[in-house]
Amino acid sequence: PAKMSSSILTQHVAPALGTLVALLLFLAPLKTLKAAMQGKRLLGDINPVPFPLLATNCAGWVAYGYLLRDYYIVVANITGLVLAMHYTLQAYCLCSMGGERTEGKRKLLHGTVVGASLMMAYVGLVVALPLGDKEEARKLVLGLVCNAVIVCFYASPLAEVKTVIASKSSDALVFPMCL
């Protein structure tokens, strides 16, 4: 009985809680971007770098979850991928509305999207390439790439530290994503 309850905890309860926490993280920028799109803020106040990194991260984890046949990982990250692509497109729209004031942000967003797209292509190659009996190697490489991307995602608010210090305002940060 103790082994069975432990198995339920580790195979269903903990992954379900992880999925819930991931969904809360993925929803964090929604309010900020909605306000920006309604004209209350410009992209100049928002760091766009996390959005394409989040999309890349989720795409990688969807592939990883598929390889593991772990549908908790897949479901959470498909949702995150869709939301992150939506956020990235909203950031592009905000860049176009901001004129010259957001030109630097647009270039930064564009560079991040290009880099993230290359990373997604790499993830696709790792998943698609026949590695023979090297299924474990594929999982390892994909897991390492996903972890590298998530480190970049969590470090991306650091790109705004200079702005926060210079302006003495934390408006450039999407607070829930900093937690």
Side-chain angles (χ1 to χ4, degrees):
K3 186 176 181 180
M4 189 166 134
S5 64
S6 174
S7 175
I8 290 172
L9 181 67
T10 60
Q11 292 181 4
H12 299 289
V13 175
L17 288 174
T19 298
L20 178 63
V21 170
L23 292 175
L24 292 174
L25 171 73
F26 300 149
L27 290 169
L30 194 60
K31 183 178 177 183
T32 301
L33 284 169
K34 184 177 179 184
M37 290 300 286
Q38 291 173 345
K40 295 179 183 170
R41 292 177 78 175
L42 292 174
L43 183 64
D45 294 338
I46 301 168
N47 178 5
V49 172
F51 309 134
L53 289 175
L54 182 60
T56 305
N57 173 64
C58 290
W61 286 113
V62 166
Y64 186 76
Y66 176 77
L67 285 176
L68 292 178
R69 304 292 189 253
D70 186 329
Y71 298 105
Y72 288 106
I73 294 173
V74 172
V75 168
N77 284 286
I78 283 176
T79 305
L81 177 60
V82 170
L83 287 169
M85 295 302 288
H86 174 72
Y87 301 152
T88 302
L89 291 173
Q90 280 190 320
Y92 266 123
C93 289
L94 288 167
C95 281
S96 65
M97 293 188 315
E100 286 183 24
R101 294 185 316 177
T102 58
E103 182 62 22
K105 295 276 185 178
R106 188 190 63 74
K107 287 180 181 179
L108 179 63
L109 181 61
H110 181 73
T112 306
V113 167
V114 168
S117 297
L118 291 172
M119 186 62 74
M120 279 195 237
Y122 177 74
V123 165
L125 283 174
V126 168
V127 172
L129 284 177
L131 296 175
D133 294 336
K134 307 267 194 254
E135 186 72 19
E136 290 304 312
R138 186 180 317 192
K139 290 176 187 175
L140 176 67
V141 170
L142 189 53
L144 290 172
V145 169
C146 290
N147 279 301
V149 172
I150 197 71
V151 166
C152 294
F153 168 74
Y154 282 118
S156 63
L158 295 175
E160 293 299 317
V161 168
K162 181 180 174 187
T163 304
V164 168
I165 292 171
S167 67
K168 296 182 177 142
S169 170
S170 63
D171 285 345
L173 301 174
V174 179
F175 182 70
M177 290 185 75
C178 295
L179 295 177

